[in-house]
Amino acid sequence: MVGIIIIINSTSSVMLLESHKRRLLSLLFHFNRPENYISMFHPEGSDTLYVGGRAMVFLLTFTSRGVRDLEVSAQLGLIMSDIHISPPRCLECDNFITVIQKVNDTIIVCGTNAGSPRCWMLVNNTVLTDVRGNGQIASASDISPPYPSQKSISLPADGSMYSAMSSVAGHAGSIRRTFGSQKLLKTENVWLLNPQFAGAAVIPSSIKFKEEIYFFFSEFNKTARVDEEPFKARIGRICTVDEGGIKALLADSWTTFMKARVMCGAGNTQQQYNNMKQAVVLTAQDKRAGVLYGLFSNAWGRTVICAYSIEDIDQAFTTSKLKGYSSPFIGSRPGMCVRKNSTAGGHSDIKNLGVMRYHPEIEDVIRPVGVAPLDLPTDDQITHAVADIVMAVNDEHYSVLYLGTDQGKILKVLHTSEGVFIISQYSLFHNEGPVLNMAIDSQKGHLYVGTAMEVQRLPLADCGRYGDTCRECILSRDPYCGWDRSRRKCIPIPPGYNRRTSPREVMVQSNTSVFLPCPVRSFHATYRWEKDNCVKNYPCLFSGGYCVLGPAVDTPLREGVFRCMATEDGFKVEVISFRLVNHGRPLAASLASTLGPSLLLATVTLWLH
Ligand SMILES: *[C@@H]1O[C@H](CO)[C@@H](O)[C@H](O)[C@H]1NC(C)=O
Ligand SMILES: *[C@@H]1O[C@H](CO)[C@@H](O)[C@H](O)[C@H]1NC(C)=O
Ligand SMILES: *[C@@H]1O[C@H](CO)[C@@H](O)[C@H](O)[C@H]1NC(C)=O
Ligand SMILES: *[C@@H]1O[C@H](CO)[C@@H](O)[C@H](O)[C@H]1NC(C)=O
Ligand SMILES: *[C@@H]1O[C@H](CO)[C@@H](O)[C@H](O)[C@H]1NC(C)=O
């Protein structure tokens, strides 16, 4: 155990903050000294946030009573004495913790180590030791930058760690597999031009070997003329099954790396935002039907957000011509994800390796959905962004962006096909410094926000702020919230609400009558049908143990989600729900297959009436 630094310092800094203007209950941790560079790692579903700071890993545990802080010191002195260098005196010459990631059960921690990066593993949440185990690990300088103002990205996938190092003095910049039992691979230097990384994301696939990782970055042309834009925003991708090439070609390099140009700006106008600063991806479990949000800036430092369809990007990588290559492909298209050991070493493979080596860039350019940047009605400088997919009470999926600004504000933004809408805005910090980092936990419904002075945890669903009427609750357009009529409150949609009660689909033809049955389980309860949350509700007819919603004046039984709600002793529960889809197959056929006997029974009962 060389160069170990073990000082456990358990303080208990507890603060519950009742924000002045509002009723939001947030939990706050205050640093003892300013932390101008912070890395974060949050295991989803937990209450713990790992924060990497200056010569320190903070293990913050958020509880209802406050924030518990356990500190693991990573001071330079001990390490420096090992390698006989006297600690330099400069602002960035400490051991700034830049990477905290969990791969299987191993927590990897890397720091700048005053210009010569090092990695450790965090054992028992208390001790930093040298990395051991069956996995191999790359050189720390391919994982952590030497100085904290430089950016690196690390993410785990499939039991390995992948790292993207920006181009810094003495390092050309690279995308690598850096830890695990799979072969450690890298990009060829000529594939990347002074990359500055902005993010990375695993793009899952239902077919395991087709899993990919996208890397987001800007390339910088040092020799660009003054009247030329030096930055180009990029997406690079690799397959996680990649095991490298053959001895003569790409032996230790990716054989599946491709990159594309990304535009963020209105059409082909001159007003382009070319410097991608940060990127986040929202993916639905298995599908490529995800969204990429990129934070871009232009030469004047103005920031905007552009949104991209992952499906579009996937399509481009799968079908585009390769830049500078016009011959037809021999055999399968080069660069596609294929199982490790299918036809290795064949003639067409060597040819394809050559194509990948010399033509990694595709011709197609990736453009944002809606053609232009999101039209955010704000001039705030955005410093950090995270995003969440929310399933609202009306059973639709919404994207919600949380944008941190240089003044310590958080904008909560709803993004739909119709555009963007600022749902709410928080200024919670005591000091108005820039938001440096954020982590989101969709499962638990928490947002962690860090500035140089503080780390706070906020609830994603903050419904109490939307007043005491149904109208205000709905007008907030906050998809995390719904109106509880029996309690007369705007409340967070309970976890699993939609999943537990996901509506059954009914296809309807416009000229047929639909009868929706709701089984009556209690004669003490009141039954009503609701459409689209509290916006509309309808009485029902009791018939043979069912409360049936049928055609009537003012009952638009054509499309939408209909929920039967039973209220008893002030408790309201959903009994059953249906989603009516218009222009379906003939009613009789679809009824039998989607609904089973209960609806038929109800309709028959009604007809017998
Ligand atoms: C971690 O905890 C286990 C069980 O308490 C102990 O046996 C082990 O020595 C600890 N490891 C280190 C490096 O302290
Ligand atoms: C993680 O677990 C997988 C499956 O057990 C294994 O193949 C891989 O080598 C492990 N990774 C590390 C870094 O130990
Ligand atoms: C960088 O810009 C110069 C000047 O326009 C140009 O000649 C050169 O090809 C560019 N480099 C790359 C790699 O695009
Ligand atoms: C690939 O490897 C798997 C397991 O190692 C083996 O079962 C399979 O037969 C191999 N496929 C080919 C085409 O060699
Ligand atoms: C419903 O409309 C379809 C097509 O418009 C027509 O063929 C069918 O006869 C209509 N059914 C009834 C019950 O009116």
Side-chain angles (χ1 to χ4, degrees):
M1 298 219 300
V2 183
I4 316 314
I5 345 88
I6 318 143
I7 305 167
I8 322 294
N9 173 4
S10 183
T11 56
S12 185
S13 164
V14 175
M15 220 181 291
L16 275 167
L17 187 80
E18 186 95 18
S19 162
H20 1 281
K21 283 176 253 165
R22 327 195 359 262
R23 286 158 294 185
L24 173 69
L25 195 66
S26 68
L27 287 164
L28 181 138
F29 170 76
H30 202 92
F31 293 119
N32 285 330
R33 62 176 182 197
E35 294 287 349
N36 292 311
Y37 304 101
I38 51 176
S39 53
M40 282 185 179
F41 166 64
H42 170 67
E44 175 119 3
S46 78
D47 288 307
T48 304
L49 182 72
Y50 295 72
V51 179
R54 185 170 166 189
M56 194 76 82
V57 178
F58 301 87
L59 271 75
L60 306 181
T61 307
F62 291 75
T63 72
S64 54
R65 278 167 287 122
V67 185
R68 196 164 65 94
D69 164 38
L70 236 157
E71 294 175 4
V72 181
S73 170
Q75 277 175 32
L76 203 54
L78 279 165
I79 310 163
M80 296 309 294
S81 64
D82 288 342
I83 52 174
H84 309 293
I85 302 172
S86 54
R89 281 163 218 251
C90 68
L91 199 61
E92 295 198 342
C93 296
D94 205 325
N95 185 27
F96 291 88
I97 302 301
T98 53
V99 173
I100 308 174
Q101 271 302 345
K102 193 171 187 176
V103 186
N104 290 354
D105 291 325
T106 308
I107 296 181
I108 298 284
V109 174
C110 302
T112 59
N113 194 27
S116 48
R118 276 192 69 168
C119 292
W120 302 271
M121 51 186 204
L122 180 61
V123 182
N124 295 347
N125 271 350
T126 50
V127 185
L128 289 171
T129 72
D130 289 342
V131 180
R132 287 187 308 261
N134 11 357
Q136 350 155 41
I137 188 157
S139 156
S141 57
D142 293 327
I143 305 172
S144 170
Y147 299 102
S149 53
Q150 302 159 342
K151 202 160 170 184
S152 72
I153 305 284
S154 281
L155 88 166
D158 206 16
S160 294
M161 186 164 83
Y162 295 80
S163 303
M165 258 301 298
S166 297
S167 149
V168 297
H171 198 294
S174 63
I175 293 170
R176 291 171 188 259
R177 189 183 284 138
T178 47
F179 178 58
S181 50
Q182 276 178 283
K183 190 168 182 185
L184 301 185
L185 297 175
K186 61 178 178 57
T187 40
E188 297 274 298
N189 280 349
V190 291
W191 292 345
L192 303 169
L193 181 67
N194 305 311
Q196 300 295 317
F197 283 91
V202 177
I203 309 297
S205 170
S206 51
I207 307 163
K208 186 71 193 153
F209 72 86
K210 294 205 165 169
E211 183 180 87
E212 293 167 80
I213 303 179
Y214 284 5
F215 294 89
F216 310 102
F217 53 103
S218 294
E219 290 189 320
F220 182 73
N221 185 347
K222 284 177 180 161
T223 55
R225 295 191 310 267
V226 273
D227 60 328
E228 277 179 330
E229 170 60 55
F231 287 103
K232 274 190 177 137
R234 299 283 192 185
I235 299 177
R237 60 70 104 168
I238 53 109
C239 301
T240 57
V241 291
D242 200 333
E243 287 289 339
I246 54 171
K247 209 164 176 188
L249 199 53
L250 301 179
D252 299 312
S253 299
W254 304 109
T255 62
T256 56
F257 175 80
M258 286 196 276
K259 70 175 182 182
R261 176 91 194 264
V262 185
M263 303 303 284
C264 174
N268 283 323
T269 63
Q270 288 293 303
Q271 247 198 25
Q272 297 293 329
Y273 295 81
N274 290 303
N275 192 358
M276 199 196 286
K277 314 284 280 184
Q278 205 222 325
V280 284
V281 169
L282 284 179
T283 46
Q285 302 87 8
D286 231 9
K287 300 189 190 84
R288 274 143 205 270
V291 191
L292 157 69
Y293 291 101
L295 168 62
F296 292 80
S297 73
N298 64 8
W300 293 272
R302 185 176 141 72
T303 52
V304 294
I305 305 277
C306 273
Y308 305 85
S309 149
I310 296 292
E311 211 169 5
D312 288 355
I313 299 168
D314 181 54
Q315 180 76 8
F317 279 127
T318 319
T319 59
S320 169
K321 280 188 168 174
L322 303 181
K323 225 171 191 173
Y325 185 85
S326 49
S327 321
F329 300 129
I330 300 170
S332 63
R333 185 184 162 87
M336 295 294 102
C337 304
V338 288
R339 246 185 286 261
K340 292 169 208 171
N341 58 353
S342 61
T343 73
H347 179 72
S348 74
D349 277 7
I350 296 168
K351 182 91 199 303
N352 278 353
L353 288 182
V355 175
M356 291 317 291
R357 166 65 181 78
Y358 295 101
H359 308 281
E361 186 176 352
I362 64 167
E363 270 187 12
D364 285 9
V365 169
I366 312 293
R367 294 188 190 277
V369 294
V371 189
L374 302 185
D375 188 16
L376 283 169
T378 174
D379 289 327
D380 289 320
Q381 291 296 299
I382 301 158
T383 54
H384 204 88
V386 291
D388 189 22
I389 295 183
V390 191
M391 198 174 187
V393 75
N394 66 355
D395 199 41
E396 297 295 336
H397 284 95
Y398 292 97
S399 301
V400 176
L401 287 162
Y402 296 87
L403 308 177
T405 75
D406 63 343
Q407 309 253 306
K409 273 195 292 188
I410 305 288
L411 307 177
K412 184 177 186 180
V413 177
L414 177 68
H415 179 221
T416 70
S417 51
E418 282 133 47
V420 284
F421 175 79
I422 298 183
I423 303 170
S424 51
Q425 184 169 312
Y426 305 85
S427 345
L428 309 152
F429 290 99
H430 296 139
N431 307 77
E432 291 184 341
V435 169
L436 299 179
N437 212 333
M438 290 198 266
I440 193 166
D441 190 327
S442 306
Q443 205 177 317
K444 280 254 184 172
H446 294 142
L447 178 69
Y448 298 86
V449 185
T451 65
M453 307 305 295
E454 294 157 314
V455 177
Q456 280 202 49
R457 183 171 93 175
L458 319 175
L460 298 181
D462 177 22
C463 306
R465 70 191 332 243
Y466 300 128
D468 301 321
T469 68
C470 175
R471 194 181 149 74
E472 286 173 298
C473 184
I474 299 306
L475 284 183
S476 76
R477 297 181 65 185
D478 191 324
Y480 294 95
C481 304
W483 180 250
D484 182 332
R485 195 181 296 109
S486 55
R487 284 195 277 162
R488 305 201 56 75
K489 268 172 82 175
C490 196
I491 60 158
I493 298 164
Y497 175 84
N498 290 295
R499 216 158 301 129
R500 197 180 61 237
T501 61
S502 106
R504 307 187 201 180
E505 206 158 89
V506 189
M507 303 288 195
V508 288
Q509 275 199 332
S510 42
N511 59 354
T512 42
S513 301
V514 182
F515 299 90
L516 301 179
C518 173
V520 173
R521 296 186 190 128
S522 163
F523 289 101
H524 303 292
T526 329
Y527 288 82
R528 286 182 85 80
W529 283 87
E530 288 185 358
K531 180 171 191 287
D532 303 333
N533 203 7
C534 72
V535 179
K536 287 272 165 62
N537 73 82
Y538 309 96
C540 50
L541 290 169
F542 287 93
S543 172
Y546 289 91
C547 166
V548 179
L549 180 66
V553 183
D554 264 5
T555 305
L557 269 170
R558 280 189 295 278
E559 31 190 355
V561 175
F562 291 83
R563 297 176 191 281
C564 175
M565 309 300 294
T567 309
E568 186 170 359
D569 294 336
F571 279 102
K572 187 161 89 163
V573 292
E574 180 183 309
V575 183
I576 197 165
S577 58
F578 298 100
R579 174 201 284 281
L580 301 193
V581 182
N582 212 341
H583 307 306
R585 287 164 286 139
L587 185 64
S590 68
L591 268 190
S593 62
T594 50
L595 288 181
S598 67
L599 178 72
L600 292 175
L601 172 71
T603 49
V604 168
T605 318
L606 265 194
W607 285 334
L608 293 176
H609 229 228

Short mmCIF file of all heavy atoms in Angstrom, two decimals, residues 438-479:
data_model
loop_
_atom_site.label_atom_id
_atom_site.label_comp_id
_atom_site.label_asym_id
_atom_site.label_seq_id
_atom_site.Cartn_x
_atom_site.Cartn_y
_atom_site.Cartn_z
N MET A 438 -23.96 18.89 -10.97
CA MET A 438 -25.27 18.43 -10.54
C MET A 438 -25.34 16.92 -10.74
O MET A 438 -24.68 16.36 -11.61
CB MET A 438 -26.38 19.07 -11.37
CG MET A 438 -26.58 20.54 -11.11
SD MET A 438 -28.20 21.06 -11.71
CE MET A 438 -27.79 21.62 -13.32
N ALA A 439 -26.18 16.27 -9.94
CA ALA A 439 -26.46 14.84 -10.13
C ALA A 439 -27.95 14.66 -9.92
O ALA A 439 -28.55 15.33 -9.07
CB ALA A 439 -25.67 14.00 -9.13
N ILE A 440 -28.55 13.78 -10.70
CA ILE A 440 -29.99 13.59 -10.60
C ILE A 440 -30.29 12.14 -10.25
O ILE A 440 -29.59 11.23 -10.70
CB ILE A 440 -30.69 14.03 -11.91
CG1 ILE A 440 -32.19 14.14 -11.70
CG2 ILE A 440 -30.36 13.10 -13.05
CD1 ILE A 440 -32.89 14.89 -12.82
N ASP A 441 -31.28 11.93 -9.42
CA ASP A 441 -31.73 10.59 -9.07
C ASP A 441 -33.22 10.49 -9.38
O ASP A 441 -34.06 10.90 -8.59
CB ASP A 441 -31.45 10.32 -7.58
CG ASP A 441 -31.67 8.85 -7.22
OD1 ASP A 441 -32.55 8.21 -7.82
OD2 ASP A 441 -30.95 8.35 -6.33
N SER A 442 -33.53 9.95 -10.55
CA SER A 442 -34.93 9.86 -10.99
C SER A 442 -35.71 8.91 -10.11
O SER A 442 -36.88 9.12 -9.83
CB SER A 442 -35.00 9.33 -12.42
OG SER A 442 -34.20 10.10 -13.25
N GLN A 443 -35.01 7.83 -9.70
CA GLN A 443 -35.66 6.81 -8.90
C GLN A 443 -36.15 7.37 -7.57
O GLN A 443 -37.28 7.18 -7.19
CB GLN A 443 -34.61 5.72 -8.66
CG GLN A 443 -35.15 4.35 -8.40
CD GLN A 443 -33.95 3.40 -8.25
OE1 GLN A 443 -32.98 3.45 -9.01
NE2 GLN A 443 -33.99 2.54 -7.26
N LYS A 444 -35.28 8.11 -6.90
CA LYS A 444 -35.62 8.67 -5.59
C LYS A 444 -36.25 10.05 -5.69
O LYS A 444 -36.77 10.58 -4.71
CB LYS A 444 -34.34 8.77 -4.75
CG LYS A 444 -33.92 7.45 -4.13
CD LYS A 444 -34.24 7.53 -2.66
CE LYS A 444 -33.78 6.32 -1.89
NZ LYS A 444 -33.94 6.54 -0.44
N GLY A 445 -36.16 10.67 -6.86
CA GLY A 445 -36.73 12.00 -7.03
C GLY A 445 -35.93 13.11 -6.39
O GLY A 445 -36.49 13.99 -5.75
N HIS A 446 -34.60 13.05 -6.55
CA HIS A 446 -33.74 14.06 -5.94
C HIS A 446 -32.81 14.71 -6.96
O HIS A 446 -32.37 14.07 -7.91
CB HIS A 446 -32.87 13.44 -4.85
CG HIS A 446 -33.64 12.95 -3.67
ND1 HIS A 446 -33.32 11.80 -3.00
CD2 HIS A 446 -34.74 13.45 -3.05
CE1 HIS A 446 -34.18 11.61 -2.01
NE2 HIS A 446 -35.05 12.60 -2.02
N LEU A 447 -32.51 15.97 -6.71
CA LEU A 447 -31.51 16.68 -7.50
C LEU A 447 -30.43 17.18 -6.55
O LEU A 447 -30.73 17.81 -5.54
CB LEU A 447 -32.16 17.87 -8.22
CG LEU A 447 -31.23 18.74 -9.05
CD1 LEU A 447 -30.74 17.99 -10.28
CD2 LEU A 447 -31.94 20.03 -9.48
N TYR A 448 -29.17 16.86 -6.87
CA TYR A 448 -28.04 17.35 -6.07
C TYR A 448 -27.37 18.45 -6.86
O TYR A 448 -27.08 18.28 -8.04
CB TYR A 448 -27.05 16.22 -5.80
CG TYR A 448 -27.65 15.08 -4.99
CD1 TYR A 448 -28.33 14.04 -5.61
CD2 TYR A 448 -27.54 15.07 -3.60
CE1 TYR A 448 -28.89 13.00 -4.87
CE2 TYR A 448 -28.10 14.03 -2.85
CZ TYR A 448 -28.77 13.00 -3.49
OH TYR A 448 -29.32 11.98 -2.76
N VAL A 449 -27.12 19.56 -6.19
CA VAL A 449 -26.53 20.72 -6.86
C VAL A 449 -25.34 21.20 -6.05
O VAL A 449 -25.44 21.37 -4.83
CB VAL A 449 -27.55 21.87 -6.97
CG1 VAL A 449 -26.97 23.02 -7.78
CG2 VAL A 449 -28.85 21.40 -7.60
N GLY A 450 -24.22 21.41 -6.72
CA GLY A 450 -23.03 21.86 -6.02
C GLY A 450 -22.51 23.18 -6.55
O GLY A 450 -22.43 23.40 -7.76
N THR A 451 -22.16 24.08 -5.61
CA THR A 451 -21.40 25.29 -5.95
C THR A 451 -20.09 25.20 -5.17
O THR A 451 -19.86 24.21 -4.46
CB THR A 451 -22.15 26.57 -5.52
OG1 THR A 451 -22.24 26.59 -4.09
CG2 THR A 451 -23.54 26.63 -6.12
N ALA A 452 -19.25 26.20 -5.28
CA ALA A 452 -17.98 26.15 -4.58
C ALA A 452 -18.15 26.17 -3.06
O ALA A 452 -17.26 25.76 -2.32
CB ALA A 452 -17.11 27.33 -5.02
N MET A 453 -19.30 26.64 -2.60
CA MET A 453 -19.51 26.75 -1.16
C MET A 453 -20.39 25.65 -0.58
O MET A 453 -20.24 25.28 0.57
CB MET A 453 -20.16 28.11 -0.82
CG MET A 453 -19.44 29.32 -1.36
SD MET A 453 -17.71 29.40 -0.86
CE MET A 453 -17.91 29.59 0.90
N GLU A 454 -21.34 25.16 -1.38
CA GLU A 454 -22.39 24.32 -0.81
C GLU A 454 -22.79 23.18 -1.73
O GLU A 454 -22.64 23.27 -2.95
CB GLU A 454 -23.65 25.17 -0.60
CG GLU A 454 -23.50 26.24 0.44
CD GLU A 454 -24.51 27.37 0.24
OE1 GLU A 454 -24.68 27.84 -0.89
OE2 GLU A 454 -25.11 27.78 1.23
N VAL A 455 -23.36 22.15 -1.12
CA VAL A 455 -24.05 21.11 -1.89
C VAL A 455 -25.45 21.01 -1.33
O VAL A 455 -25.63 20.95 -0.11
CB VAL A 455 -23.34 19.74 -1.77
CG1 VAL A 455 -24.14 18.67 -2.51
CG2 VAL A 455 -21.94 19.82 -2.33
N GLN A 456 -26.44 21.02 -2.20
CA GLN A 456 -27.82 20.92 -1.75
C GLN A 456 -28.53 19.78 -2.44
O GLN A 456 -28.22 19.44 -3.58
CB GLN A 456 -28.57 22.20 -2.12
CG GLN A 456 -28.32 23.33 -1.17
CD GLN A 456 -29.43 24.36 -1.23
OE1 GLN A 456 -30.60 24.02 -1.16
NE2 GLN A 456 -29.05 25.61 -1.35
N ARG A 457 -29.52 19.25 -1.74
CA ARG A 457 -30.39 18.27 -2.36
C ARG A 457 -31.81 18.83 -2.39
O ARG A 457 -32.32 19.28 -1.38
CB ARG A 457 -30.39 16.96 -1.58
CG ARG A 457 -31.26 15.91 -2.27
CD ARG A 457 -31.09 14.55 -1.64
NE ARG A 457 -32.09 14.32 -0.62
CZ ARG A 457 -32.23 13.15 0.02
NH1 ARG A 457 -31.41 12.16 -0.26
NH2 ARG A 457 -33.14 12.99 0.94
N LEU A 458 -32.41 18.79 -3.55
CA LEU A 458 -33.77 19.30 -3.72
C LEU A 458 -34.67 18.17 -4.20
O LEU A 458 -34.22 17.27 -4.90
CB LEU A 458 -33.82 20.39 -4.81
CG LEU A 458 -32.71 21.43 -4.88
CD1 LEU A 458 -32.93 22.31 -6.09
CD2 LEU A 458 -32.72 22.26 -3.63
N PRO A 459 -35.95 18.25 -3.86
CA PRO A 459 -36.89 17.27 -4.42
C PRO A 459 -37.23 17.64 -5.86
O PRO A 459 -37.38 18.82 -6.18
CB PRO A 459 -38.12 17.41 -3.53
CG PRO A 459 -38.04 18.79 -2.96
CD PRO A 459 -36.59 19.19 -2.94
N LEU A 460 -37.31 16.64 -6.74
CA LEU A 460 -37.69 16.93 -8.13
C LEU A 460 -39.15 17.37 -8.18
O LEU A 460 -39.53 18.27 -8.92
CB LEU A 460 -37.50 15.70 -9.01
CG LEU A 460 -36.07 15.16 -9.12
CD1 LEU A 460 -36.05 13.95 -10.04
CD2 LEU A 460 -35.13 16.23 -9.63
N ALA A 461 -39.97 16.70 -7.36
CA ALA A 461 -41.39 17.07 -7.30
C ALA A 461 -41.56 18.04 -6.14
O ALA A 461 -41.42 17.66 -4.99
CB ALA A 461 -42.24 15.83 -7.09
N ASP A 462 -41.82 19.26 -6.47
CA ASP A 462 -41.91 20.31 -5.46
C ASP A 462 -43.28 20.94 -5.67
O ASP A 462 -43.39 22.07 -6.15
CB ASP A 462 -40.76 21.29 -5.70
CG ASP A 462 -40.80 22.45 -4.75
OD1 ASP A 462 -41.42 22.32 -3.69
OD2 ASP A 462 -40.21 23.50 -5.09
N CYS A 463 -44.31 20.18 -5.37
CA CYS A 463 -45.66 20.54 -5.83
C CYS A 463 -46.35 21.55 -4.93
O CYS A 463 -47.26 22.25 -5.36
CB CYS A 463 -46.51 19.28 -5.95
SG CYS A 463 -45.74 18.02 -6.98
N GLY A 464 -45.89 21.64 -3.69
CA GLY A 464 -46.53 22.54 -2.74
C GLY A 464 -46.48 23.99 -3.18
O GLY A 464 -47.30 24.81 -2.78
N ARG A 465 -45.52 24.31 -4.05
CA ARG A 465 -45.33 25.71 -4.45
C ARG A 465 -46.39 26.19 -5.43
O ARG A 465 -46.43 27.37 -5.75
CB ARG A 465 -43.94 25.87 -5.05
CG ARG A 465 -43.79 25.21 -6.39
CD ARG A 465 -42.36 25.15 -6.89
NE ARG A 465 -41.49 26.21 -6.41
CZ ARG A 465 -40.90 27.13 -7.17
NH1 ARG A 465 -41.10 27.13 -8.46
NH2 ARG A 465 -40.11 28.02 -6.65
N TYR A 466 -47.22 25.29 -5.92
CA TYR A 466 -48.13 25.71 -6.98
C TYR A 466 -49.51 26.10 -6.48
O TYR A 466 -50.50 25.94 -7.17
CB TYR A 466 -48.25 24.62 -8.04
CG TYR A 466 -46.92 24.29 -8.68
CD1 TYR A 466 -46.47 22.98 -8.75
CD2 TYR A 466 -46.10 25.30 -9.18
CE1 TYR A 466 -45.25 22.68 -9.32
CE2 TYR A 466 -44.87 25.00 -9.75
CZ TYR A 466 -44.45 23.69 -9.81
OH TYR A 466 -43.25 23.40 -10.36
N GLY A 467 -49.59 26.59 -5.25
CA GLY A 467 -50.86 27.12 -4.77
C GLY A 467 -51.83 26.04 -4.36
O GLY A 467 -51.51 24.86 -4.32
N ASP A 468 -53.03 26.46 -4.07
CA ASP A 468 -53.99 25.57 -3.44
C ASP A 468 -55.21 25.30 -4.30
O ASP A 468 -56.23 24.84 -3.80
CB ASP A 468 -54.43 26.16 -2.10
CG ASP A 468 -53.25 26.35 -1.17
OD1 ASP A 468 -52.36 25.48 -1.19
OD2 ASP A 468 -53.18 27.39 -0.48
N THR A 469 -55.09 25.58 -5.59
CA THR A 469 -56.23 25.26 -6.44
C THR A 469 -55.80 24.32 -7.55
O THR A 469 -54.64 24.30 -7.95
CB THR A 469 -56.84 26.52 -7.09
OG1 THR A 469 -55.90 27.03 -8.04
CG2 THR A 469 -57.16 27.60 -6.05
N CYS A 470 -56.76 23.58 -8.03
CA CYS A 470 -56.51 22.64 -9.11
C CYS A 470 -55.98 23.39 -10.32
O CYS A 470 -55.05 22.96 -10.99
CB CYS A 470 -57.80 21.91 -9.45
SG CYS A 470 -57.64 20.83 -10.86
N ARG A 471 -56.57 24.54 -10.58
CA ARG A 471 -56.18 25.34 -11.73
C ARG A 471 -54.70 25.70 -11.69
O ARG A 471 -53.97 25.50 -12.66
CB ARG A 471 -57.05 26.60 -11.75
CG ARG A 471 -57.01 27.35 -13.03
CD ARG A 471 -57.87 28.61 -12.93
NE ARG A 471 -57.31 29.66 -13.78
CZ ARG A 471 -57.39 29.65 -15.09
NH1 ARG A 471 -58.02 28.67 -15.71
NH2 ARG A 471 -56.83 30.61 -15.81
N GLU A 472 -54.25 26.19 -10.54
CA GLU A 472 -52.85 26.58 -10.39
C GLU A 472 -51.94 25.36 -10.54
O GLU A 472 -50.87 25.44 -11.15
CB GLU A 472 -52.61 27.22 -9.03
CG GLU A 472 -53.15 28.62 -8.90
CD GLU A 472 -53.03 29.12 -7.47
OE1 GLU A 472 -53.66 28.52 -6.58
OE2 GLU A 472 -52.30 30.09 -7.26
N CYS A 473 -52.38 24.26 -9.98
CA CYS A 473 -51.59 23.02 -10.03
C CYS A 473 -51.41 22.58 -11.49
O CYS A 473 -50.32 22.23 -11.91
CB CYS A 473 -52.31 21.94 -9.22
SG CYS A 473 -51.42 20.39 -9.08
N ILE A 474 -52.48 22.63 -12.26
CA ILE A 474 -52.42 22.21 -13.65
C ILE A 474 -51.68 23.22 -14.51
O ILE A 474 -50.86 22.87 -15.35
CB ILE A 474 -53.84 21.98 -14.21
CG1 ILE A 474 -54.55 20.88 -13.42
CG2 ILE A 474 -53.80 21.65 -15.69
CD1 ILE A 474 -53.79 19.58 -13.33
N LEU A 475 -51.92 24.52 -14.23
CA LEU A 475 -51.26 25.55 -15.03
C LEU A 475 -49.75 25.58 -14.83
O LEU A 475 -49.02 26.07 -15.67
CB LEU A 475 -51.86 26.93 -14.70
CG LEU A 475 -53.24 27.19 -15.31
CD1 LEU A 475 -53.70 28.61 -14.97
CD2 LEU A 475 -53.23 27.00 -16.82
N SER A 476 -49.28 25.04 -13.71
CA SER A 476 -47.83 25.01 -13.48
C SER A 476 -47.15 24.16 -14.56
O SER A 476 -45.99 24.35 -14.86
CB SER A 476 -47.53 24.42 -12.11
OG SER A 476 -47.71 23.00 -12.13
N ARG A 477 -47.91 23.23 -15.13
CA ARG A 477 -47.42 22.29 -16.15
C ARG A 477 -46.29 21.42 -15.64
O ARG A 477 -45.49 20.90 -16.42
CB ARG A 477 -47.01 23.04 -17.43
CG ARG A 477 -48.18 23.74 -18.08
CD ARG A 477 -47.78 24.45 -19.35
NE ARG A 477 -47.36 23.54 -20.39
CZ ARG A 477 -46.87 23.94 -21.56
NH1 ARG A 477 -46.76 25.22 -21.81
NH2 ARG A 477 -46.50 23.07 -22.47
N ASP A 478 -46.18 21.30 -14.32
CA ASP A 478 -45.13 20.47 -13.76
C ASP A 478 -45.56 19.01 -13.83
O ASP A 478 -46.49 18.59 -13.15
CB ASP A 478 -44.87 20.88 -12.30
CG ASP A 478 -43.61 20.24 -11.76
OD1 ASP A 478 -43.33 19.08 -12.14
OD2 ASP A 478 -42.91 20.89 -10.97
N PRO A 479 -44.89 18.21 -14.67
CA PRO A 479 -45.35 16.83 -14.87
C PRO A 479 -45.14 15.94 -13.65
O PRO A 479 -45.64 14.82 -13.63
CB PRO A 479 -44.53 16.35 -16.06
CG PRO A 479 -43.32 17.21 -16.07
CD PRO A 479 -43.73 18.53 -15.51
#
